[in-house]
């Protein structure tokens, strides 16, 4: 018996040693990391597990889009390889994952990573090493504000967002309230981190001298249990608010909507931030008793269920069907029930490929950033028709347009956009 | 003296390998080796507490947090030299460890474990409340950031110094007292060991070690200190490392540190399970397997081998 | 021989005894109960919070009870108790997908939980049960492994389970009490009473108590100690399954993080009540549930933000343990030299 254990111990040590040595034998890269004659390797961190796992269809859609592009020959005769890692929306896991992508997998760029706090924990590292950290799946205002101005000690020119920023969206909600419900008493539920505080700050800016109309602002933590979040909603109801603004990630937002529906006699005008306004989230909430009719939000991508006949949505359906990472047809059900994250992912993928095409025959990190900072996309088939993705030296936020939408039709219903495309920009 | 020669030889071998490694490993693997060094320091400290005085703590992540934040805040606000911040972390955590050790005296075994568990969950919450000074959820970014090689050198130098310190402490009266406490508190008291002093001291020392590890940990995380870096999983990893190490052997602590420092990173590239779930499934299974096969840790295994060799 | 049989006879007489010296504790609890009663009568909101707190607290208590069961039998804290409860809830989810009615799936899940619990004790705990630290680490490994497996098989997103009690509520004098909360308390109490009855009135229960308290003596009178320990783990898993199934509707959806916050509260409840005391675990759970709900409901966030709740809870726990180191209902271990 002891002999076997000794062998096992020796084996374990040998394995560990081999791993260490083998890792060191990785080919060193001269020239641009991640770019070879036949491939461009990019990477990103996403919450496949943990409190934000409802977003995991975003990287799936991005990978589907790259597979579609690869099937048609790729970009500059190179196939795009997207290596994604799970960070569970936890910045402590994002840092080692990003280090692995940059230092071991030698990725060309970090593309599409999700999460404000995760992004902030790695942007210093990536900017110091001049690694593009782009098309982040978060609307924090930092991504656009810190290109030319110093934030946390330095400028971050290698970082770029994509979607309309949170304060801009919140300002539109503020303007709507002041216009349609000028004497409103506003209750806010917000996540107690950079993302939630960004939104709240934007709401306050939009309200201007009317900030005192916020009668109750309740913060919650991403790790809070359902009942605790529910208690915050009850607190807001008790404060007499007749407008309820939800700045929460999906699981908390869904909980908030359900609890709101359970409170008898309380029917506030409800705003749901667009990061949690995905159709399937609303349907989940409705299935447990939330009053979803009349809830307001904003959007900037097309909807496969509300606008199925758009050429972009037909293309989206084909791509998701044929190139879903889990196999042909594996995401069809998800797509059909209206998971808008899939369209979002395709839209981001489209922007990246577009920029890559404009980065020259042999892309470098610098040329990629130049292309990304001089975009003028008017034909992205997946974003809301009529909107543009535009950047320049001065314009550091790629998307600055939103359109209001209102939910109708109950548990089987959908969003319906109304009004004009609004400017959410600076 | 005869028993000391093999020990000295093994120390020299380890030191030699550590000096050579940075030249053979890629930069990424140097950062992994640095991680092992950081865990070596923390596990060494925890071993003193758990292994030698029998007090189980699932909260040493809290001390790492205090040490880490010390480094980040001092660097951000006063541009203090990073090594000086590590000394500060050592001192501050020693004091805090003593303070925690005092009420710990009244608690035994499981109660102590659970209270330290509560400590591990609570301390990281404090920066969230005092966000102006302690950065809140956005964290604290140190002014200076360092290279992987710097962390590697610092981590293993600290490991060497603190290992020698531990060896000096434990071979004398202190070590005998610690072992007496672990084996039988009643007998220890009966033979005149001042229980409260030694138990509290053990807490202080182990906390100080964890504090230094915390400083290095924050520097390895790009100089960025944030509450979620010091989550429950970190404290659990430390405990796992100490258990896998077992008691009384340098190689044991090395094995324990390597286990928790490397395995979670390496298991993301397991084929069937995929990068997204590999870490938890493989690491969890590995922990169970190692404990089943080596309940006394690597040190126990080595002791058994030595006994066989002698027989 | 007679000393052992009389010890077992003593066990028979005492059942699950409460420390006689806990008059102070009883008075404090009585005072708290009176405070709550007065609050409920004066304010409908207070009453609603209290009811919610009791319901949630019963779930914490159920999981705490599972922890205490395991601790009494094998003297270890099972860190994986929460994740095991979560796993069994997912199993119930699968059974319901396959067409079983809620309560049929509920019963089947309890049976499966029992088997799972005993299996775990036999395969991974028994081989290392001589070493406390080894067992602790194995349960930590189980925690990580089960979490990984559930995420891998079912994914990390939300699953919808049918609600066993519907979404209606009672209206008692202006206070809205949802059927769910009443149902939670009833199911948990019923399960606890059933397990208690098993311990108190059956020969198996007697054997289990004997095996936990005096294993050597119990073995002498023919009790199969090893099997008793395994059955103890099985019963703990059953209680955990109940906790998970009752926790799910209150969290609205099923996800792998279902039991993680609850585990923390259950630990606190078990420590508060005293790790050897089943009554203590339940009372501790309800106390924590009610306190938490009232604090979140009434204390303004700028005084005690969500961030400070945990450190405060820790400080309170520590204070209580300084005064009563073995918990409110626990007994100070007298160590004979």
């Amino acid at each position: 018996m002891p002999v076997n254990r000794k062998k096992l111990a020796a084996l374990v040590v040998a394995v560990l040693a081999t791993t260490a040595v083998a890792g060191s034998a990785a080919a060193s890269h001269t020239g641009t990391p991640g770019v070879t004659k036949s491939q461009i390797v990019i990477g990103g961190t996403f919450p496949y597990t943990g409190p934000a796992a409802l977003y995991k269809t975003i990287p799936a859609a991005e990978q589907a889009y790259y597979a579609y592009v690869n099937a048609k020959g790729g970009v500059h005769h190179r196939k795009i390889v997207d290596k994604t890692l799970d960070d569970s929306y936890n910045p402590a896991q994002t840092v080692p994952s990003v280090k692995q992508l940059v230092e071991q997998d030698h990725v060309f760029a970090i593309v599409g990573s999700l999460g404000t706090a995760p992004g902030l924990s790695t942007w210093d590292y990536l900017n110091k090493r001049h690694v593009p950290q782009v098309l982040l799946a978060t609307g924090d205002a930092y991504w656009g504000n810190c290109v030319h101005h110093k934030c946390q000690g330095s400028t971050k020119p290698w970082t770029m967002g994509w979607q309309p920023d949170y304060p801009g969206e919140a300002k539109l909600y503020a303007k709507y309230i002041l216009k349609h419900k000028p004497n409103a008493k506003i209750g806010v539920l917000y996540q107690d981190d950079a993302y939630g505080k960004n939104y709240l700050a934007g709401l306050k800016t939009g309200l201007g001298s009317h900030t005192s109309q916020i009668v109750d602002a309740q913060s919650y933590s991403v790790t809070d249990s359902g009942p605790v979040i529910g208690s915050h909603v009850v607190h807001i109801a008790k404060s007499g608010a007749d407008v309820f603004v939800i700045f929460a990630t999906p699981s908390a937002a869904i909980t908030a909507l359900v609890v709101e529906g359970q409170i008898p006699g309380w029917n506030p005008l409800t705003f749901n931030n667009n990061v949690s306004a995905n159709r399937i989230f609303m349907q989940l909430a409705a299935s447990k008793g939330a009053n979803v009719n009349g809830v307001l939000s904003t959007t900037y991508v097309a909807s496969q269920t509300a606008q199925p006949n758009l050429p972009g949505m037909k293309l989206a359906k084909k791509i998701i069907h044929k190139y879903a990472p889990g196999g042909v047809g594996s995401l069809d059900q998800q797509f059909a029930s209206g998971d808008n994250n899939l369209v979002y992912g395709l839209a981001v993928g489209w922007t990246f490929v577009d920029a890559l095409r404009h980065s020259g025959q042999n892309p470098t990190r610098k040329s990629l950033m130049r292309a990304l900072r001089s975009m003028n996309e008017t034909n992205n088939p997946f974003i809301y028709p009529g909107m543009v993705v535009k950047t320049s030296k001065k314009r550091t936020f790629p998307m600055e347009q939103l359109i209001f939408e209102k939910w109708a039709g109950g548990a089987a219903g959908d969003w319906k956009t109304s009004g004009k495309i609004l400017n959410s920009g600076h | 003296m005869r028993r000391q020669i093999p020990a000295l030889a093994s120390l020299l071998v380890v030191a030699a390998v550590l000096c050579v490694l940075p030249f053979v490993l890629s930069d990424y693997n140097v950062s992994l080796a640095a991680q092992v060094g950081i865990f070596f320091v923390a596990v060494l400290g925890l071993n003193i507490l758990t292994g030698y005085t029998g007090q189980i703590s699932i909260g040493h992540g809290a001390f790492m947090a205090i040490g880490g934040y010390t480094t980040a805040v001092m660097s951000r606000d006063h541009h203090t030299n990073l090594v000086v911040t590590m000394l500060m972390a050592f001192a501050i955590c020693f004091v805090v460890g003593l303070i925690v050790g005092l009420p710990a005296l009244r608690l035994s075994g499981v109660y102590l474990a659970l209270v330290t568990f509560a400590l591990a969950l609570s301390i990281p919450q404090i920066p969230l409340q005092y966000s102006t000074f302690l950065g809140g959820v956005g964290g604290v970014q140190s002014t200076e950031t360092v290279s992987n090689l710097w962390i590697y050198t610092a981590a293993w130098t600290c490991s060497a110094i603190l290992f020698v310190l531990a060896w000096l402490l434990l071979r004398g009266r202190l070590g005998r007292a610690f072992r007496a406490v672990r084996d039988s508190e009643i007998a220890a008291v009966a033979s005149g060991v001042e229980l409260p002093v030694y138990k509290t001291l053990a807490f202080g020392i182990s906390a100080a070690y964890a504090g230094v590890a915390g400083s290095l940990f924050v520097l390895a995380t790009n100089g960025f200190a944030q509450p979620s870096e010091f989550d429950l999983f970190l404290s659990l990893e430390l405990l796992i490392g100490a258990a896998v190490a077992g008691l009384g052997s340098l190689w044991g602590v090395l094995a324990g540190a390597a286990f928790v420092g490397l395995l979670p990173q390496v298991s993301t590239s397991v084929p069937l399970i995929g990068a997204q779930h590999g870490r938890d499934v493989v690491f969890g299974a590995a922990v169970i397997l190692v404990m089943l096969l080596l309940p006394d840790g690597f040190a126990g295994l080595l002791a058994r081998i030595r006994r066989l060799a002698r027989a | 021989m007679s000393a052992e049989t009389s010890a077992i006879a003593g066990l028979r007489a005492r059942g699950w005894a409460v420390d006689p010296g806990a008059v102070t504790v009883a008075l404090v609890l009585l005072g708290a109960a009176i405070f709550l009663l007065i609050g409920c009568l004066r304010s409908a909101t207070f009453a609603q919070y209290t009811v919610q707190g009791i319901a949630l607290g019963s779930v914490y208590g159920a999981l705490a009870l599972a922890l205490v069961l395991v601790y009494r039998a094998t003297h270890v804290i099972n860190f994986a108790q929460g994740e095991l409860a979560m796993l069994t809830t997912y199993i119930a989810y699968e059974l319901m997908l396959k067409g079983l009615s809620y309560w049929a799936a509920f019963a089947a899940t309890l049976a499966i939980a029992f088997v799972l619990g005993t299996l775990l004790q036999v395969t991974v705990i028994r081989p290392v049960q001589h070493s406390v630290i080894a067992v602790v680490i194995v349960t930590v490994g189980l925690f990580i492994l089960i979490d990984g497996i559930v995420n891998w098989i079912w994914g990390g997103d939300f699953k919808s389970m049918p609600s066993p009690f519907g979404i209606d509520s009672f209206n008692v004098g202006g206070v809205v009490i949802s059927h769910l909360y009443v149902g939670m308390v009833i199911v948990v109490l019923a399960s606890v009473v059933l397990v208690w009855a098993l311990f108190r009135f059956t020969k198996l229960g007697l054997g289990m108590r004997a095996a936990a308290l005096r294993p050597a003596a119990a073995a002498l009178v023919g009790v199969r100690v090893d099997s008793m320990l395994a059955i103890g783990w099985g019963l703990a898993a059953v209680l955990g399954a109940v906790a998970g199934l009752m926790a799910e509707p209150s969290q609205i959806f099923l996800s792998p993080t279902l039991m993680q916050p609850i585990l923390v509260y259950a630990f606190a409840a078990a420590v508060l009540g005293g790790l050897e005391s089943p009554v203590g675990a339940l009372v501790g759970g309800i106390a924590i549930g009610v306190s938490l709900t009232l604090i979140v409901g009434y204390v303004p966030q700028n005084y005690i933000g969500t961030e400070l709740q945990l450190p405060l809870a820790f400080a309170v726990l520590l204070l209580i343990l300084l005064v009563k180191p073995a918990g409110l209902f626990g007994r100070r271990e007298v160590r004979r030299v």
Side-chain angles (χ1 to χ4, degrees):
Chain A
M1 260 319 224
V3 179
N4 287 340
R5 293 191 186 190
K6 185 169 147 191
K7 277 197 185 144
L8 178 75
L11 187 65
V12 170
V13 172
V15 167
L16 285 173
T18 314
T19 318
V21 173
S24 73
S28 64
H29 288 252
T30 54
T32 306
V35 178
T36 66
K37 278 214 162 71
S38 57
Q39 272 186 347
I40 296 178
V41 182
I42 59 177
T45 50
F46 296 90
Y48 286 93
T49 60
L54 287 163
Y55 285 134
K56 62 189 172 134
T57 39
I58 293 180
E62 287 169 10
Q63 287 172 333
Y65 187 74
Y66 302 140
Y68 164 74
V69 166
N70 290 343
K72 296 165 105 212
V75 179
H76 303 306
H77 309 295
R78 295 174 174 97
K79 303 248 193 294
I80 301 174
V81 174
D82 184 16
K83 176 145 193 207
T84 55
L85 290 178
D86 174 31
D87 69 348
S88 275
Y89 199 63
N90 182 350
Q93 289 187 24
T94 316
V95 173
S97 300
V98 165
K99 271 194 169 178
Q100 187 179 332
L101 289 170
V102 169
E103 298 178 37
Q104 192 179 43
D105 301 302
H106 303 284
V107 296
F108 176 53
I110 300 288
V111 181
S113 288
L114 191 144
T116 303
L120 286 175
S121 68
T122 48
W123 72 340
D124 191 71
Y125 169 86
L126 290 167
N127 272 272
K128 280 216 169 83
R129 287 174 176 251
H130 297 189
V131 178
Q133 182 192 31
V134 296
L135 306 181
L136 293 173
T138 129
D140 200 291
Y142 270 148
W143 316 139
N145 284 336
C146 305
V147 178
H148 304 303
H149 307 277
K150 281 193 182 175
C151 300
Q152 290 183 357
S154 60
T155 58
K156 309 287 193 291
W158 295 85
T159 303
M160 192 171 107
W162 182 79
Q163 65 194 72
D165 64 298
Y166 299 145
E169 180 189 340
K171 271 183 250 171
L172 288 181
Y173 297 150
K175 298 237 171 333
Y176 185 100
I177 295 171
L178 290 178
K179 180 167 175 200
H180 292 97
K181 235 179 142 80
N183 297 318
K185 294 205 205 104
I186 308 169
V188 183
L189 177 73
Y190 68 101
Q191 192 163 294
D192 66 357
D193 65 356
Y195 141 80
K197 290 183 177 169
N198 223 232
Y199 260 123
L200 182 63
L203 187 73
K204 287 184 174 164
T205 312
L207 289 172
S209 51
H210 296 269
T211 319
S212 54
Q213 284 183 243
I214 300 179
V215 296
D216 193 11
Q218 292 279 307
S219 71
Y220 74 94
S221 165
V222 145
T223 49
D224 277 345
S225 65
V228 170
I229 295 174
S231 304
H232 291 303
V233 177
V234 170
H235 195 278
I236 291 173
K238 300 265 173 262
S239 71
D242 53 10
V243 170
F244 181 33
V245 184
I246 301 175
F247 291 143
T249 41
S251 40
I254 293 171
T255 305
L257 285 169
V258 172
V259 173
E260 180 197 333
Q262 289 172 344
I263 301 175
W266 192 47
N267 286 311
L269 173 64
T270 308
F271 292 87
N272 185 7
N273 59 177
N274 79 44
V275 297
S276 299
N278 197 337
R279 183 174 187 239
I280 53 173
F281 302 158
M282 296 294 288
Q283 289 183 317
L284 271 173
S287 73
K288 292 287 178 180
N291 298 333
V292 286
N293 287 337
V295 173
L296 289 170
S297 187
T298 49
T299 188
Y300 49 92
V301 291
S303 163
Q304 70 265 45
T305 46
Q307 303 156 304
N309 293 320
L310 284 175
M313 293 303 96
K314 290 189 180 160
L315 177 63
K317 187 168 178 188
K318 263 192 250 149
I319 296 177
I320 294 297
H321 171 74
K322 195 155 179 213
Y323 297 104
V328 175
S330 59
L331 284 172
D332 285 357
Q333 164 78 323
Q334 195 80 5
F335 186 85
S337 54
D339 185 349
N340 211 217
N341 284 334
L342 291 169
V343 177
Y344 174 98
L346 291 174
V348 171
W350 199 98
T351 300
F352 178 70
V353 169
D354 187 38
L356 199 58
R357 288 213 169 97
H358 290 95
S359 305
Q361 274 297 331
N362 294 307
T364 64
R365 285 171 170 169
K366 260 203 171 129
S367 70
L368 176 70
M369 288 314 293
R370 241 179 283 133
L372 283 167
R373 296 251 179 245
S374 52
M375 289 190 294
N376 197 350
E377 260 179 44
T378 49
N379 53 343
N380 186 325
F382 307 111
I383 62 179
Y384 196 84
M387 291 192 184
V388 299
V389 179
K390 195 167 172 173
T391 51
S392 68
K393 186 152 196 274
K394 276 206 169 145
R395 185 180 149 134
T396 51
F397 290 89
M399 290 192 77
E400 292 188 336
Q401 292 165 307
L402 287 165
I403 186 165
F404 267 95
E405 54 183 8
K406 191 188 266 199
W407 186 275
D414 202 349
W415 291 108
K416 201 168 144 66
T417 54
S418 64
K420 296 183 299 178
I421 293 177
L422 299 168
N423 194 337
S424 72
H426 300 248
Chain B
M1 194 58 189
R2 261 182 67 201
R3 213 179 295 159
Q4 284 180 349
I5 290 178
L8 200 61
S10 60
L11 272 174
L12 287 174
V13 166
V14 172
V17 170
L18 286 172
C19 291
V20 169
L21 273 181
F23 299 101
V24 254
L25 291 181
S26 71
D27 193 47
Y28 178 67
N29 287 317
V30 168
S31 76
L32 285 183
Q35 278 261 73
V36 176
I38 295 173
F39 275 109
F40 187 91
V41 172
V43 170
L44 193 58
L46 197 55
N47 238 349
I48 294 174
L49 183 69
T50 306
Y52 283 94
T53 65
Q55 302 176 80
I56 295 183
S57 164
I58 316 171
H60 270 50
F63 298 120
M64 283 184 74
I66 296 174
Y69 264 89
T70 304
T71 294
V73 171
M74 293 308 293
S75 170
R76 179 194 66 178
D77 291 343
H78 304 284
H79 302 276
T80 321
N81 176 282
L82 292 175
V83 177
V84 171
T85 65
M86 282 163 58
L87 287 169
M88 292 175 72
F90 187 88
I92 293 176
C93 288
F94 181 68
V95 172
V96 177
L98 289 178
I99 297 173
V100 171
L102 276 170
L105 291 172
R106 295 210 61 175
L107 302 168
S108 63
V110 181
Y111 289 97
L112 179 63
L114 289 176
V115 166
T116 52
F117 175 76
L119 192 73
L121 291 177
S122 320
I123 297 266
Q125 297 283 96
I126 293 179
L128 292 177
Q129 183 77 0
Y130 302 106
S131 27
T132 35
F133 177 54
L134 292 173
V137 87
V140 176
Q141 174 73 54
S142 66
T143 342
E144 246 187 282
T145 52
V146 291
S147 68
N148 287 333
L149 189 58
W150 193 103
I151 300 170
Y152 176 90
T153 316
W156 287 108
T157 311
C158 287
S159 298
I161 296 172
L162 293 173
F163 177 75
V164 170
L165 181 67
W167 184 72
L168 287 172
L169 284 172
L170 291 170
R171 65 195 281 254
R173 229 176 106 190
L174 198 66
R176 283 200 296 276
F178 279 172
R179 269 186 291 275
V181 167
R182 180 195 66 204
D183 293 336
S184 165
E185 281 197 9
I186 294 150
V189 170
S191 25
V193 174
E194 293 270 9
L195 217 56
V197 173
Y198 287 111
K199 281 176 88 165
T200 314
L201 212 59
F203 236 99
I205 294 171
S206 67
Y209 276 48
V212 173
S215 288
L216 290 162
F217 183 76
V218 161
L219 291 173
T221 319
N222 205 42
F224 193 63
Q226 218 197 37
S228 48
E229 282 171 30
F230 302 102
D231 58 358
L232 179 66
F233 189 64
L234 183 65
S235 287
L236 290 179
E237 276 185 312
L238 293 182
L239 193 65
I240 293 172
V244 169
L247 186 57
S249 154
L250 163 66
W251 295 107
V253 179
L254 209 58
F259 187 77
V260 287
L262 292 178
L263 198 53
Q265 291 300 96
V266 169
S267 38
T268 51
S269 26
V270 164
L272 206 67
I273 306 173
Q276 288 81 36
H277 305 292
R279 183 176 45 219
D280 283 347
V281 175
V282 172
F283 186 60
V287 168
I288 297 173
L289 269 167
V290 169
M291 274 298 117
L292 283 176
L293 291 167
L294 306 171
D296 295 318
F298 255 74
L301 172 69
L302 290 173
R304 219 172 298 138
I305 294 174
R306 261 189 232 119
R307 246 179 281 138
L308 275 174
R310 236 174 276 150
Chain C
M1 196 68 157
S2 62
E4 279 72 30
T5 40
S6 72
I8 293 174
L11 267 174
R12 233 192 206 128
R14 285 209 317 264
W16 279 355
V18 172
D19 183 18
V23 175
T24 344
V25 173
L27 282 174
V28 168
L29 287 175
L30 192 65
I34 294 176
F35 165 73
L36 288 175
L37 198 63
I38 295 177
C40 289
L41 291 172
R42 290 192 54 178
S43 156
T45 315
F46 191 97
Q48 261 156 244
Y49 282 143
T50 308
V51 169
Q52 181 185 19
I54 292 175
L56 295 174
S58 65
V59 169
Y60 307 157
L63 193 62
L65 199 53
L67 290 171
V68 166
L69 249 178
V70 166
Y71 184 74
R72 274 166 70 108
T74 51
H75 282 277
V76 279
I77 288 289
N78 180 4
F79 272 94
Q81 202 75 60
E83 298 304 274
L84 194 56
M86 181 265 290
L87 175 64
T88 49
T89 312
Y90 267 89
I91 291 175
Y93 167 77
E94 276 300 318
L95 289 175
M96 287 180 222
L97 274 187
K98 300 266 187 293
L100 259 67
S101 76
Y102 184 90
W103 293 108
F106 185 92
T109 304
L110 293 191
I112 294 173
F114 182 81
V115 170
L116 219 57
T118 46
L119 217 68
L120 276 175
Q121 202 276 342
V122 169
T123 50
V124 296
I125 303 296
R126 192 179 292 176
V128 290
Q129 65 188 12
H130 57 272
S131 161
V132 169
I133 188 112
V135 177
V136 168
I137 301 294
V138 166
T139 63
V140 170
L142 273 173
F143 179 108
I144 300 171
L145 179 64
I146 294 177
D147 193 60
I149 289 179
V150 171
N151 267 297
W152 179 28
I153 298 180
W154 281 282
D157 48 342
F158 278 7
K159 305 285 184 215
S160 190
M161 278 177 78
S163 182
F165 304 110
I167 49 177
D168 294 321
S169 346
F170 297 111
N171 197 313
V172 179
V175 178
V176 175
I177 301 177
S178 68
H179 287 186
L180 172 64
Y181 290 152
V182 176
M184 281 165 80
V185 176
I186 291 179
V187 168
V188 169
L189 274 180
S191 317
V192 168
V193 166
L194 278 171
V195 172
W196 174 81
L198 178 78
F199 272 91
R200 184 81 172 78
F201 298 115
T202 67
K203 205 163 157 211
L204 178 67
L206 183 61
M208 289 178 68
R209 284 185 283 140
L213 217 62
R214 293 225 202 315
L220 278 174
V221 292
V223 173
R224 305 198 55 187
V225 175
D226 271 351
S227 315
M228 294 296 121
L229 298 185
I231 294 175
W233 271 67
L235 285 175
V238 168
L239 282 171
V242 171
L245 283 164
M246 289 300 104
E248 189 274 333
S250 72
Q251 303 267 41
I252 304 171
F253 293 102
L254 177 63
S255 78
T257 53
L258 177 75
M259 297 303 281
Q260 281 169 20
I262 297 178
L263 184 67
V264 178
Y265 301 141
F267 275 161
V271 170
L272 190 64
L275 277 166
E276 301 264 0
S277 164
V279 175
L282 262 178
V283 173
I286 292 178
I288 288 177
V290 173
S291 314
L292 218 68
T293 328
L294 288 176
I295 288 176
V296 174
Y298 284 110
V299 179
Q301 278 207 321
N302 45 343
Y303 289 173
I304 301 180
T306 35
E307 303 92 8
L308 269 191
Q309 266 170 31
L310 224 45
L312 265 176
F314 165 69
V316 169
L317 198 67
L318 194 61
L319 268 165
I320 293 178
L321 284 178
L322 284 177
V323 175
K324 277 210 125 235
L328 290 177
F329 287 80
R331 240 169 306 196
R332 202 68 206 277
E333 256 185 30
V334 175
R335 279 174 286 176
R336 293 191 201 86
V337 179

